Amino acid sequence: MKKDLEQLKDDFLALVDKVTDRESLETLRNEFLGRKGKLKAAMKEMAQLADEERKAIGKIANEVKEAIEVAYGGQEETFKKLQREESMGKEWIDVTQPVIGGESRGSIHPVTQVQQELEDLFTSMGFIIADGPELESDYYNFTALNIPPTHPARDMQDTFYVEGADGVVMRTHTSSVQIRSMRRYGAPLRMVAPGRCFRNEATDVRHEHTFHQLEGMMIDKGISLSHMKGVLEIVARHLYGEETHIRLRPKFYPFVEPGVNGEVTCFLCKGDGCRLCKKTGWLEVFGAGMVHPNVLREGGVDPDEYSGFAFGFGLTRLVMLKYGIDDIRHLESGDLRFLKQF
Ligand code: FA5
């Protein structure tokens, strides 16, 4: 009987390698291990054996069963692997299919959205996009812009100084890119420079210590204040609609002469006066002016030959006005409940 059992095992091992599909493998397994299979039949004879012998044969029968199962399992795994490889060859990925859980995808920050929109507008008018460092030299941020160390205008833009690094500040405005650009590209020049600025502010709903501006500069022969008004009007209408007007009122900035404070018609009340514009009908969004001759000279441009205008939009404020955001501090908070709305 021992011999019969071992023969059973050898038969199975010989046959299992020859099967070519999973269906035949199942049939073969049933033939040997099924309820009416060969092993069961062989075991029936065990009942007639003496106790001692039955124990020994029972042990061998279990070993045979185990060997058959192992061989079966190995072959089954081979078929599964083949099947997987086959279906992978047939499968294809639809890259346009919406992602499951796609609702948690990120979005572009509102400040970046408005920045990109304005970059597109300005490049369409022949402006280049310039850049400058956020950690800036005192020279580019103040001195070169006609604000010498003792000038009281420095008090208007108190900033963060860097310990152990004399003459280095976190830039208070993007105007620092004016001199860098003139020196790099010379005249004529049309550039815009968006970026982060920093001020030592007691923060409130309209003031942040970290905010964005968008600087602009146009230098050429015969550039006048009317060119400036024209360009700024295009920007205001692009942002807030065709009915928007701009109003320029004198304001002192040491790096421009004359300097102006720029307002746009309140987009909410269309100039009638409302809560947003504090009943004035106007919203203040930029500073601008004709570039001061000292600044042109500092940038290596001859003021007798060239003139130009410069402006600085409070980019963060533009975003607040565009989306009706009532507290500037939301924008740098990193709060997803706020950011998910854009
Ligand atoms: C300037 O920064 C000048 N550099 C602008 C300029 C450029 C004038 C070129 C002339 C020629 P001012 O400090 O006014 O100016 O800031 C400009 C705009 O930045 C403001 O109108 C406001 O919208 C925004 N801004 C200023 N301080 C803050 C702040 N703490 N938080 C948020 N936005 C601010």
Side-chain angles (χ1 to χ4, degrees), residues 32-292:
F32 280 76
L33 298 186
R35 271 197 299 132
K36 293 180 182 160
K38 291 180 177 174
L39 188 65
K40 271 267 149 62
M43 306 269 272
K44 267 187 193 151
E45 294 170 26
M46 273 170 59
Q48 290 135 34
L49 299 174
D51 270 4
E52 203 66 6
E53 211 177 343
R54 199 169 57 235
K55 244 189 190 167
I57 294 294
K59 195 169 166 244
I60 294 169
N62 275 339
E63 281 166 9
V64 168
K65 188 177 175 216
E66 210 177 298
I68 291 177
E69 289 284 19
V70 169
Y72 161 84
Q75 191 67 327
E76 191 192 31
E77 197 41 53
T78 309
F79 286 140
K80 277 188 186 163
K81 200 173 155 207
L82 279 172
Q83 201 177 17
R84 272 199 302 272
E85 282 169 4
E86 211 173 294
S87 65
M88 266 165 79
K90 283 189 207 141
E91 267 175 20
W92 62 285
I93 296 170
D94 179 0
V95 291
T96 63
Q97 197 177 7
V99 183
I100 298 169
E103 66 280 0
S104 64
R105 266 179 306 177
S107 57
I108 296 177
H109 193 282
V111 171
T112 312
Q113 284 183 33
V114 175
Q115 178 182 322
Q116 288 174 347
E117 205 179 301
L118 288 176
E119 283 176 1
D120 286 348
L121 175 71
F122 277 106
T123 46
S124 78
M125 294 193 286
F127 283 70
I128 56 165
I129 316 284
D131 203 5
E134 291 176 352
L135 193 58
E136 183 56 282
S137 75
D138 178 290
Y139 169 77
Y140 282 115
N141 195 81
F142 293 122
T143 315
L145 289 169
N146 218 15
I147 317 175
T150 51
H151 199 289
R154 288 202 177 204
D155 297 344
M156 285 155 55
Q157 299 189 0
D158 189 15
T159 184
F160 303 102
Y161 292 84
V162 181
E163 229 173 63
D166 261 3
V168 177
V169 300
M170 298 300 285
R171 69 173 174 194
T172 56
H173 51 180
T174 42
S175 296
S176 53
V177 190
Q178 288 187 19
I179 306 281
R180 289 182 173 276
S181 299
M182 281 191 281
R183 289 201 179 164
R184 183 155 186 195
Y185 304 107
L189 174 70
R190 291 180 200 187
M191 73 84 181
V192 283
R196 276 200 305 182
C197 308
F198 311 85
R199 289 187 197 177
N200 183 11
E201 298 273 14
T203 58
D204 60 29
V205 290
R206 279 152 49 87
H207 294 87
E208 255 289 21
H209 49 73
T210 303
F211 58 98
H212 287 73
Q213 285 190 344
L214 182 121
E215 192 78 11
M217 189 173 214
M218 182 168 179
I219 298 172
D220 211 329
K221 289 178 179 165
I223 295 290
S224 69
L225 205 68
S226 58
H227 292 113
M228 182 180 92
K229 192 170 182 219
V231 169
L232 294 170
E233 228 154 34
I234 290 173
V235 179
R237 289 188 180 153
H238 176 83
L239 282 171
Y240 303 119
E242 278 308 306
E243 268 96 77
T244 311
H245 295 285
I246 65 168
R247 179 167 80 166
L248 306 177
R249 294 197 296 173
K251 180 170 179 183
F252 172 70
Y253 292 103
F255 35 96
V256 284
E257 180 57 41
V260 297
N261 172 23
E263 293 164 310
V264 296
T265 331
C266 176
F267 67 93
L268 197 63
C269 63
K270 306 283 178 227
D272 293 342
C274 67
R275 176 190 56 88
L276 184 66
C277 59
K278 297 197 192 113
K279 305 259 181 255
T280 63
W282 297 95
L283 296 168
E284 183 191 328
V285 282
F286 62 89
M290 298 303 293
V291 184
H292 196 288

